[in-house]
Amino acid sequence: MVRSNVFSFCSSNGVNQIHCRQWTPEGDVRAVIQIVHGVAEYIERYNDFAAFMAERGFLIVRDDHLGHGQSIADDSELGWFGEENGWSCLVQDEKILREQLRAQHPDAPLVLFGHSMGSFIARTYLGWYPGDHELCILSGTGYHSAIVCKAGKMLAQREIRAHGSKYRSKSLQNIAFGSYMKGIDDPLGENDWICRDKEVVRKYDADPLCGFTTTAGLMRDMMEGLGIICRKSHLAKMDREMPVLFIAGDADPVGSYGKGVNKTAACFRQAGMSDVSVKLYPGARHEVLNELNKQEVWDDVLSWLEQKLPR
């Protein structure tokens, strides 16, 4: 029988407690999957996928990032990583969690699974700590040029100078996410771009821990992270033998409707990565794990893992 439990660890910032949930399978653990969630959401939104994988022998662990879910000290921290070094803290927190998982399961392969902003965190991790995970899955990722990242960071820094790092900037929010609804007919609201399943969107819209206006500090830090992962010098540090799977909807604006996903995969290959696969789902939007065809996506993830995991 699958078991679920929560635990926490002290963040790399030395202040916050990072909230985590673990799903443990019955019997032997085939592999440990470390899930890194996206911006303006939290770990409980992965429960269905986690239960599916745990029932098939995988141990699933995920954590609420700084500024998200139950890892915030108070409401003012929602959508805020910190006064400085925010992106580094996010990556270091994943490193802390990874070390705990390796100590607890020394013989089990480790899989890094990053969605959306979590995929950017995962891609940072791959260059900073190559070899820490045997496999990597990147969901809903995208491509951003160095020029775009630099311009976005400058805009965020301007807002911070004027209003402080916890300022919730509608203008930055609109620049970052405002175009995502383009081409969506008969929307329920401003977040239909995440998924075609109307019930998923309705719950997302009603959840105060989802879809909130992020802080200028978060935007600055995320632009910093995006600037890191687009550098050839960073890509060159990744473990070239590690298999990587990209999954995304071809109607996902974050991945430029498939183009950004394919471009990022091409960058991985150009950096010497020897085993890079891409799966685009026709008509699917950003959250493929929650899409109308989610069972197909889950089955594909399971099949890929079974092919790539050591026997």
Side-chain angles (χ1 to χ4, degrees):
M1 182 177 179
V2 172
R3 294 179 288 110
S4 175
N5 66 285
V6 297
F7 64 94
S8 64
F9 64 87
C10 183
S11 169
S12 59
N13 70 8
V15 178
N16 292 73
Q17 286 293 309
I18 301 299
H19 172 75
C20 306
R21 180 173 290 279
Q22 175 171 306
W23 290 72
T24 305
E26 185 176 10
D28 294 337
V29 173
R30 299 173 68 182
V32 177
I33 303 178
Q34 181 178 349
I35 294 181
V36 191
H37 72 76
V39 70
E41 62 157 351
Y42 58 106
I43 59 174
E44 304 302 338
R45 301 188 70 243
Y46 294 78
N47 283 347
D48 291 345
F49 173 68
F52 171 83
M53 296 302 294
E55 287 168 359
R56 286 149 183 84
F58 294 87
L59 187 144
I60 313 295
V61 181
R62 61 255 196 238
D63 60 291
D64 284 335
H65 302 311
L66 291 169
H68 291 75
Q70 296 185 51
S71 293
I72 61 174
D74 55 61
D75 290 345
S76 72
E77 289 189 357
L78 191 65
W80 182 73
F81 298 148
E83 209 57 68
E84 57 184 15
N85 299 321
W87 194 257
S88 178
C89 284
L90 295 183
V91 180
Q92 297 302 329
D93 285 347
E94 297 305 324
K95 176 66 171 176
I96 292 171
L97 180 56
R98 183 268 179 197
E99 295 305 319
Q100 291 185 9
L101 295 174
R102 176 55 80 204
Q104 295 165 7
H105 306 278
D107 299 323
L110 297 184
V111 182
L112 187 61
F113 185 115
H115 170 68
S116 193
M117 183 187 72
S119 76
F120 307 145
I121 297 170
R123 286 162 59 185
T124 308
Y125 194 111
L126 295 182
W128 285 5
Y129 302 108
D132 266 13
H133 297 82
E134 280 72 23
L135 302 169
C136 180
I137 301 172
L138 299 171
S139 166
T141 202
Y143 176 84
H144 303 81
S145 69
I147 293 175
V148 168
C149 298
K150 184 176 181 179
K153 184 177 179 180
M154 289 176 61
L155 288 172
Q157 288 173 326
R158 185 177 65 183
E159 293 285 65
I160 292 170
R161 286 193 296 269
H163 306 286
S165 66
K166 288 186 177 180
Y167 176 63
R168 301 185 184 280
S169 172
K170 292 289 187 181
S171 62
L172 288 177
Q173 189 85 356
N174 186 59
I175 291 171
F177 307 109
S179 65
Y180 286 176
M181 289 294 293
K182 183 180 179 181
I184 295 181
D185 298 325
D186 193 27
L188 287 177
E190 61 183 16
N191 294 310
D192 285 56
W193 61 273
I194 69 168
C195 184
R196 293 172 295 177
D197 190 322
K198 299 298 185 183
E199 184 60 19
V200 171
V201 177
R202 186 192 66 78
K203 290 181 178 179
Y204 185 92
D205 287 342
D207 194 330
L209 294 178
C210 291
F212 47 80
T213 300
T214 59
T215 63
L218 182 149
M219 288 295 186
R220 172 203 60 197
D221 295 336
M222 187 161 63
M223 289 299 113
E224 173 72 22
L226 291 172
I228 291 170
I229 62 177
C230 72
R231 297 172 190 158
K232 290 183 179 181
S233 59
H234 178 81
L235 292 165
K237 296 174 183 176
M238 297 188 297
D239 177 6
R240 297 184 178 187
E241 302 303 316
M242 181 185 64
V244 179
L245 172 65
F246 290 81
I247 55 174
D250 72 359
D252 178 10
V254 176
S256 301
Y257 308 96
K259 295 179 181 178
V261 181
N262 281 322
K263 190 166 185 176
T264 301
C267 290
F268 273 49
R269 297 185 184 107
Q270 290 167 8
M273 301 292 283
S274 60
D275 190 345
V276 178
S277 304
V278 178
K279 177 70 175 182
L280 296 177
Y281 296 92
R285 297 175 187 171
H286 186 51
E287 294 184 351
V288 289
L289 292 184
N290 292 326
E291 261 290 3
L292 295 174
N293 63 320
K294 64 185 181 183
Q295 190 61 57
E296 176 190 7
V297 179
W298 298 357
D299 288 341
D300 286 346
V301 169
L302 176 62
S303 176
W304 184 82
L305 288 171
E306 290 177 333
Q307 291 174 31
K308 301 300 180 181
L309 285 170
R311 297 184 182 277

